[in-house]
Amino acid sequence: MTSSGENQPARHQEVGHKSLLQSDALYQYILETSVYPREPESMKELREVTAKHPWNLMTTSADEGQFLNMLLKLINAKNTMEIGVYTGYSLLATALALPDDGKILAMDINRENYELGLPIIEKAGVAHKIDFKEGPALPVLDQMTEDAKYHGTFDFIFVDADKDNYLNYHKRLIDLVKIGGLIGYDNTLWNGSVVAPPDAPLRKYVRYYRDFVLELNKALAVDPRIEICQLPVGDGITLCRRIS
């Protein structure tokens, strides 16, 4: 993070500013040249609604939404899962990418936030693809892993939730995603704090979750059941392709 001196360029006010690029101007260039001109009207509307919410930092950035939308089309995803929904920006990006009979199992502990974005999702004509469950995801995942009919049935799973449970999610999701399918873990560079020195001045929540993110990154790097690719998109996203 740069200190705000008089000679510093003003940080732009994009909602969920999570770019790890050194240059704000470069990030702004990407958004204005390649992301915003192609952003569906419904996603733009949801992004603007979310910007007014006090927790707007929790949203998926617009460039990451665009990335997820294309990725889902490239892998021809049809049956997906999302853990951590917030107002539904990444959920909408997913729903728009899936075929009309595609399905998303979406889980979040807060229905109120989801309902903020729901009218926009409904207006976009994709709400029928979403099965929203309010509450912690782990009990639902436990039920699913105990039932063999769910094993290997998901093409794509996106996790953007409580970082202290990412490894617990991974233990269960590896059985539910199909071989050749993808799991995407969001925030795996965690505000860049993964390389911060021990005495760095970090926000309390950043410091608290950093160790969990570091632990996850180490575990994914040596998990023989997956191939991985960690990308500096948004706040860092690690894609895991199940191979066994």
Side-chain angles (χ1 to χ4, degrees):
M1 300 287 277
T2 53
S3 62
S4 53
E6 280 180 29
N7 297 327
Q8 291 290 348
R11 292 188 77 84
H12 58 69
Q13 296 303 304
E14 305 310 322
V15 57
H17 172 62
K18 292 181 179 172
S19 173
L20 294 159
L21 286 172
Q22 291 292 309
S23 160
D24 282 341
L26 192 55
Y27 183 50
Q28 194 67 22
Y29 172 81
I30 293 169
L31 292 173
E32 290 177 1
T33 307
S34 303
V35 180
Y36 293 157
R38 292 297 190 106
E39 185 179 36
E41 198 54 44
S42 55
M43 286 179 67
K44 178 175 188 277
E45 190 182 345
L46 183 47
R47 180 166 55 81
E48 288 170 351
V49 164
T50 305
K52 295 171 187 149
H53 193 275
W55 303 344
N56 61 41
L57 198 67
M58 283 169 42
T59 193
T60 301
S61 60
D63 52 322
E64 187 174 2
Q66 185 183 56
F67 170 71
L68 291 172
N69 182 272
M70 182 174 281
L71 180 67
L72 286 152
K73 291 171 181 169
L74 287 171
I75 65 171
N76 294 312
K78 194 169 177 181
N79 190 39
T80 74
M81 185 193 303
E82 182 159 327
I83 301 173
V85 171
Y86 186 43
T87 59
Y89 187 79
S90 55
L91 185 63
L92 179 56
T94 302
L96 289 168
L98 298 186
D100 198 55
D101 59 347
K103 292 278 172 260
I104 312 163
L105 171 60
M107 293 179 271
D108 199 290
I109 54 170
N110 189 321
R111 179 180 284 274
E112 205 177 306
N113 290 335
Y114 168 63
E115 286 180 346
L116 202 66
L118 186 55
I120 298 166
I121 293 169
E122 287 171 340
K123 193 165 66 173
V126 292
H128 66 282
K129 302 178 188 179
I130 299 165
D131 174 18
F132 180 84
K133 289 188 190 301
E134 183 179 27
L138 284 174
V140 179
L141 297 178
D142 283 338
Q143 284 179 339
M144 293 174 83
T145 49
E146 283 164 19
D147 190 338
K149 77 175 183 188
Y150 292 112
H151 286 207
T153 58
F154 287 90
D155 304 312
F156 180 77
I157 300 169
F158 184 58
V159 184
D160 182 7
D162 40 337
K163 316 305 162 209
D164 44 345
N165 267 319
Y166 270 27
L167 272 176
N168 291 325
Y169 293 139
H170 186 65
K171 284 172 193 162
R172 293 153 174 84
L173 297 177
I174 199 72
D175 290 329
L176 300 175
V177 71
K178 71 179 186 183
I179 290 176
L182 286 177
I183 307 171
Y185 291 103
D186 204 22
N187 307 108
T188 58
L189 294 175
W190 199 230
N191 289 71
S193 69
V194 289
V195 292
D199 58 346
L202 300 173
R203 289 180 188 172
K204 199 180 283 184
Y205 81 96
V206 172
R207 183 177 298 284
Y208 174 75
Y209 287 116
R210 177 176 63 167
D211 288 346
F212 294 105
V213 174
L214 288 168
E215 194 185 356
L216 171 81
N217 289 339
K218 277 185 197 162
L220 295 180
V222 296
D223 188 335
R225 301 166 297 180
I226 54 174
E227 295 170 335
I228 68 167
C229 176
Q230 188 172 30
L231 298 166
V233 176
D235 191 25
I237 179 171
T238 302
L239 299 177
C240 309
R241 178 174 176 265
R242 183 182 173 191
I243 53 172
S244 69

